[in-house]
Amino acid sequence: MFTIKAKNSTLLGPLQFVTGIVERRHTLPILSNVLIDVEDSAVHFLATDLEVQIRATAKLESVHKPGSLTVGAKKLQDILRALPPDADTALETKESRLTVKAGKSRFALQTLAAADFPKIAEAKDEATQVTIPQREFRRVLGLVQFAMAVQDIRYYLNGVLISCDGTTVRVVATDGHRLSMASYKLAEAVGKIEAILPRKTVLELIKLLDESDDPILMKMHQNQVKFTFAGIEIVSKIVEGKFPDYTKVIPSGYSNHVQLNRLEFQAALQRASILSNDKIRGVRLVFTKDSLSIICSNNEQEEAEESLAITYDRDAMDIAFNIAYLLDALGHLSTETIQFSLGEANMSSALLTQPGSEDFKYVVMPMRI
């Protein structure tokens, strides 16, 4: 038996941090639960799906009797959400039930034994440690996550590659049709190591990291990565497999460069996409002297055309892309200007970068329409 007494907001905050990876229905029922562990003047909430594990801590105002149990994560979250944030809340255990009390409200929940909860065993081998400001790590993950594959049979594409070498950390994602790479310069050099983070881990990190300069400590083991920041610990398994050699995919030596106002280009693509083919989502980009035409058409013979004034004096080019792939990249950038680079052939891939910066590169393959 144990009792936890705290303000509702004190308990709800860390509980919400961990429940993002919990599913209400699971083949292993205990994985729908959260492990609650009371230790002196702190309560720890832990959830896992056996691929990624998240632990968050709430500080209590007084010392409590130690104890642990597991209870339905979503149910407990829904209850605490429904209560006033400043409500004095008590969690009390008796036999196999957890009672939540606040004011005149009372809820009794079934529990399962904490001893049966399947934690991910933390790696014991030597780790490469990397420290990055939270907002910078969130930024680079956000610049690539949209290019991850979704349930691809090439399982190593369903995630993000983190590559550390010297003072550079690179994160890369690709689904085979486009590739996004972002990098960050470290204050101190680290050893060379690579790891593929699962999709769910990446999305949870983006959700939980904030826009502060507070650090996130990343410990990279051979088969596991552990992240520690702001009272939160995330332990993630690594996706096995060989990530494509992104250095061979990113083109170099292109001579056709066009600088575009990002918001103008994005708005023109969005308007043209109204009449794009719903299945192939193709858009033609026609480059002529000092002009870019953006053309979309559909099976009903309807057509949309947008024109932008640009600085361009090379040979005319007519090349098609998946419009969604272009909009994805433009929507995740924040710079005013982007550089669009093309090869000499009409079927060469396009390279999208930020002028004056090597920190971001986005490659998108052309298509036939």
Side-chain angles (χ1 to χ4, degrees):
M1 274 183 73
F2 69 76
T3 300
I4 303 171
K5 293 183 178 180
K7 291 291 184 184
N8 183 40
S9 57
T10 300
L11 301 174
L12 180 58
L15 176 62
Q16 290 185 134
F17 290 154
V18 307
T19 50
I21 61 170
V22 177
E23 298 179 15
R24 289 184 185 270
R25 299 182 183 276
H26 209 289
T27 52
L28 193 60
I30 201 167
L31 290 179
S32 297
N33 284 14
V34 59
L35 173 65
I36 303 175
D37 188 13
V38 181
E39 185 179 48
D40 297 329
S41 59
V43 55
H44 309 287
F45 296 91
L46 187 146
T48 183
D49 66 354
L50 301 181
E51 184 178 71
V52 57
Q53 173 177 293
I54 305 180
R55 181 175 184 256
T57 300
K59 294 294 183 182
L60 303 175
E61 293 182 357
S62 60
V63 175
H64 286 57
K65 181 181 177 181
S68 58
L69 57 77
T70 79
V71 68
K74 299 291 187 180
K75 289 179 182 176
L76 180 58
Q77 178 182 253
D78 289 345
I79 290 169
L80 295 184
R81 273 180 175 171
L83 295 171
D86 60 348
D88 291 318
T89 305
L91 307 184
E92 299 177 354
T93 63
K94 187 175 182 181
E95 296 175 351
S96 61
R97 294 173 81 80
L98 173 70
T99 302
V100 182
K101 297 179 180 179
K104 296 182 179 180
S105 301
R106 182 179 177 276
F107 306 85
L109 299 171
Q110 289 285 352
T111 66
L112 293 173
D116 297 332
F117 195 82
K119 294 182 183 179
I120 296 177
E122 293 195 24
K124 301 299 183 184
D125 59 300
E126 188 174 348
T128 298
Q129 296 193 31
V130 182
T131 301
I132 305 177
Q134 285 190 52
R135 65 181 176 87
E136 290 297 336
F137 195 47
R138 188 173 188 268
R139 178 185 65 83
V140 293
L141 289 176
L143 285 173
V144 305
Q145 56 84 19
F146 59 85
M148 288 187 291
V150 180
Q151 296 182 334
D152 197 296
I153 57 172
R154 298 164 293 180
Y155 48 88
Y156 48 84
L157 298 184
N158 301 317
V160 161
L161 174 74
I162 295 186
S163 176
C164 300
D165 188 7
T167 58
T168 302
V169 174
R170 291 186 179 89
V171 293
V172 189
T174 181
D175 60 7
H177 304 286
R178 36 106 176 248
L179 179 146
S180 189
M181 184 202 79
S183 60
Y184 175 75
K185 286 291 184 182
L186 299 170
E188 297 181 5
V190 298
K192 187 173 183 178
I193 190 168
E194 290 187 343
I196 305 173
L197 294 182
R199 179 183 184 85
K200 184 178 283 189
T201 302
V202 174
L203 297 180
E204 286 301 312
L205 279 166
I206 292 172
K207 185 169 69 176
L208 296 176
L209 290 166
D210 61 32
E211 291 295 322
S212 72
D213 285 325
D214 294 338
I216 175 172
L217 174 63
M218 177 169 57
K219 293 185 178 180
M220 300 180 68
H221 299 269
Q222 288 301 314
N223 298 302
Q224 186 183 95
V225 182
K226 180 179 180 180
F227 303 92
T228 306
F229 59 99
I232 301 171
E233 288 182 357
I234 300 179
V235 177
S236 174
K237 291 186 176 180
I238 289 173
V239 179
E240 295 182 0
K242 179 65 176 174
F243 199 83
D245 186 350
Y246 61 91
T247 60
K248 293 181 179 179
V249 176
I250 298 173
S252 60
Y254 276 2
S255 57
N256 293 335
H257 305 296
V258 179
Q259 292 201 3
L260 300 166
N261 180 287
R262 180 179 63 87
L263 292 178
E264 287 182 2
F265 187 36
Q266 182 182 25
L269 287 171
Q270 288 170 334
R271 290 191 295 268
S273 71
I274 296 170
L275 296 184
S276 67
N277 184 297
D278 290 337
K279 290 185 178 180
I280 63 173
R281 300 285 285 159
V283 59
R284 286 172 56 210
L285 301 184
V286 182
F287 294 88
T288 54
K289 181 172 175 55
D290 295 336
S291 177
L292 167 61
S293 295
I294 300 167
I295 303 169
C296 284
S297 59
N298 57 32
N299 292 337
E300 287 75 40
Q301 307 301 315
E302 297 168 331
E303 185 176 273
E305 181 172 350
E306 293 276 339
S307 294
L308 296 178
I310 61 174
T311 301
Y312 183 80
D313 61 359
R314 310 288 302 226
D315 293 340
M317 292 195 72
D318 186 340
I319 188 166
F321 299 97
N322 183 312
I323 198 167
Y325 293 168
L326 298 178
L327 287 171
D328 278 346
L330 296 172
H332 285 83
L333 290 169
S334 57
T335 54
E336 181 180 346
T337 305
I338 58 104
Q339 180 164 286
F340 203 80
S341 302
L342 295 165
E344 298 300 327
N346 274 352
M347 288 305 291
S348 61
S349 59
L351 174 64
L352 193 154
T353 56
Q354 300 175 105
S357 172
E358 292 290 315
D359 292 345
F360 173 76
K361 293 182 179 180
Y362 181 65
V363 182
V364 57
M365 300 298 294
M367 63 186 298
R368 297 184 185 277
I369 58 174

